[in-house]
Amino acid sequence: MKIGEVLQVIADCPQSFQSVPEEAVKHGYELITEPEKDGQDIYFYIRVVQ
């Protein structure tokens, strides 16, 4: 992915609500919104910054 692109991640594991944002930031990416929950699915929007 290129700098500025946004990746949408869809997960259904409750633990991902915390682990995905932590890992994204740890690896130099930016979580651009709070995780959104829709039923069992959790949506994350992550921007490439490096």
Side-chain angles (χ1 to χ4, degrees), residues 11-40:
D12 63 359
C13 173
Q15 187 178 14
S16 66
F17 198 83
Q18 182 174 356
S19 63
V20 169
E22 287 176 354
E23 289 297 316
V25 172
K26 178 179 171 182
H27 291 282
Y29 302 111
E30 175 185 21
L31 188 67
I32 59 174
T33 64
E34 290 297 315
E36 299 172 10
K37 190 163 181 158
D38 182 16
Q40 289 185 320

Side-chain angles (χ1 to χ4, degrees), residues 4-7 21 24-33 44-50:
E5 291 185 322
V6 175
L7 174 67
V25 172
K26 178 179 171 182
H27 291 282
Y29 302 111
E30 175 185 21
L31 188 67
I32 59 174
T33 64
F44 303 90
Y45 298 93
I46 299 168
R47 181 178 304 147
V48 178
V49 292
Q50 347 182 2

